[in-house]
Amino acid sequence: MDAHSRGRAEEIDPADQWVLNPQTGNYELRLDHSAGQPQAPSRPRRSTVPAPAPADTPVDAPVPGQRQRRVSEPGGGQQSPASRRKRKQGASRKKKVLLWTGGTMAFVLVGGATGAYLLYNKLDGNIDVVDPVGAENKGFREGEAFNVLIIGTDKRTGEGNSGYGDNNSPGHADTTILFHVSKDRTNATALSIPRDLVTTIPECQTRQPDGQILTIPGQQKARFNVSLGQDGRDPGCTMRTVKELTGLTVNHFMMVDFNAVKELTTAVGGVKVCVEKPVDDPKSHLKLPAGESVIEGEKALAFVRTRSSFGNKSDLDRIKVQQQFLGSMIRQMKSDETLTSPTKLYDLAEAATNALTVDKGIGSLGKLQDLAKELSGIDTKNIAFATLPVIDNPDEPKPITVVPHPTQAPQLFAAMQADTSLTEVKKKQQDAKNAQTQAQAALLKGARAEAVDVRVDVFNGSGIQGAAQSTINWLQNDQGVTRSTNKSNAPEKAAKTTLTYAPNQADQARTLADMMGLPATALKPGTQNAGEREPMTLVLGADFKGAGVPITGPAKAPDVEKVEADKQVCAK
């Protein structure tokens, strides 16, 4: 059965089977005899821990993160009574329902396609669940940002996928995106993490089929992609690795394989892409003319996998192409062409639920519906794709791996931790967020000195070895503050970073505060003017996170290359 015939019997269109349930006030897809189709048998729910086999029965070793059937939860996938209130009838009512349930994001793959009318056992039973050890499985709290880790594995299971490279791969973290959703739900940042990034993989625990907990040792200077699959690591290990790297807690994960790209692009009728020059790649078998094309299925998978056709043929350039593709897919999924097509919505829901492996916290249609509601208000112009800033690995004579950029990466992590949007549309101002008093804020208002005119002595009271020198290097090499001096350790450790200056140095203080992201509370004005060549005094405190990393979070988004989801970009 092809993707566009799912949900049909005797040529009946699913659109003809959607009816208004007067008890709930929602449209529902009725798959019963009255709708002209036999009722679909419900599939068993999937469980994270299968029942143990008899002692004399051989058991195959599980693949890390392997999909398993989930035990049915009481009331799982059903709407709460509070959500069943009736709404006003009207000609636009069905469209509003579709917009609410269908118009979320391609990143959650299923979010918008799981509206109330599709909450039935067949789709709920499609979802695969892994329960990472130590996961909190909490819902979404109002006023709190959250992070979802999207993991695309290189596992070759599924029809037609065995020919892609190593078909025995257990499934590593081939494409990984940390999706940060802001506290106010107005914007989101999608941070791509290169698979060839060298980082620390912390010790993690995985749950075995017999219920036992296996502890997997950590690994120093390892490639990021082996945080999944290698040595029995499951998605929970990748979540811990991302937290270790970025400082951001990962609340949930979604994992997909090659089939997801093929089936989802087919379900929405294809995704529009653009290339600057014709593509004929014998490795991925991708052939495209210059300009725009609509691709789906195998061709869509080839597009996101190819490295030989764009940029310098590196994984970093492939990430850019994948970001452009996902942005286009988001636009297609939120378009009227998809939202007003019952058939496409049904196909999308079935394809997405079949493709997904998720954590227990979002492991049902009801919980995915909650996620969709959290994302439904984000405009595509407020979704920014960025790639973790990196440099070539200095430990390799001929680098083939990368490491985080020493200043840009921490700045970007700090921006995400501070909930700062990367889009031009939504800027977060930290002065207001820190609730500074008017008197304190006034310290940061006024003239600024040129960087070359700033004089400052830097003392290390942070307790971090080398903090003063790394700050001096950053100030002189990256910011142009050449008149800065390392004064070594402060007389004692300091809880907070402070900048002491004379009244006639206020313009210098403001310039340095802007550079370092210092709050007004860190500025300590004196009462007597300083001499012409007298420097200010900067004492790094325990709140110091690294050279170039704002103390309280950036006042504006860092200057990193990004793509906004509402813009069509041609791959080069």
Side-chain angles (χ1 to χ4, degrees), residues 1-6 8 14 109-110 113 118 123 259-271 294-298 300 325 329 332-355:
M1 181 181 296
D2 62 57
H4 290 284
S5 62
R6 293 182 181 131
R8 301 179 188 172
L109 302 176
V110 66
L118 290 179
L123 291 183
N259 282 335
V261 176
K262 296 193 290 186
E263 294 177 6
L264 289 169
T265 53
T266 300
V268 297
V271 173
V294 177
I295 58 175
E296 62 180 77
E298 291 287 348
F325 175 84
M329 190 169 183
Q332 179 63 26
M333 295 182 78
K334 297 191 75 166
S335 69
D336 283 351
E337 182 182 350
T338 300
L339 297 179
T340 59
S341 170
T343 303
K344 283 187 178 180
L345 283 177
Y346 175 80
D347 289 345
L348 182 59
E350 186 171 30
T353 52
N354 274 320

Side-chain angles (χ1 to χ4, degrees), residues 140-145 183 185 374:
F140 305 99
R141 296 178 179 178
E142 185 176 355
E144 290 187 8
K183 294 178 182 179
R185 308 298 190 257
E374 297 294 324

Side-chain angles (χ1 to χ4, degrees), residues 99-225:
L99 287 170
W100 175 69
T101 58
T104 54
M105 301 189 53
F107 268 100
V108 297
L109 302 176
V110 66
T114 56
Y117 50 84
L118 290 179
L119 292 176
Y120 61 98
N121 287 339
K122 182 178 184 297
L123 291 183
D124 198 33
N126 287 348
I127 304 168
D128 297 318
V129 178
V130 171
D131 188 13
V133 176
E136 295 182 357
N137 296 326
K138 293 180 179 178
F140 305 99
R141 296 178 179 178
E142 185 176 355
E144 290 187 8
F146 66 90
N147 303 289
V148 179
L149 191 65
I150 314 298
I151 307 172
T153 77
D154 56 3
K155 192 174 181 181
R156 269 66 172 170
T157 55
E159 183 179 355
N161 294 329
S162 60
Y164 296 127
D166 180 11
N167 61 5
N168 295 316
S169 170
H172 296 110
D174 192 55
T175 299
T176 305
I177 298 172
L178 179 61
F179 190 62
H180 172 81
V181 181
S182 67
K183 294 178 182 179
D184 59 10
R185 308 298 190 257
T186 63
N187 65 88
T189 298
L191 179 65
S192 294
I193 301 174
R195 67 176 188 175
D196 294 328
L197 178 78
V198 172
T199 188
T200 297
I201 299 176
E203 177 183 280
C204 64
Q205 294 182 316
T206 61
R207 199 182 312 276
Q208 302 302 296
D210 60 0
Q212 295 293 315
I213 302 299
L214 175 66
T215 298
I216 303 172
Q219 198 173 344
Q220 301 290 325
K221 295 186 177 182
R223 290 197 190 201
F224 176 84
N225 69 330

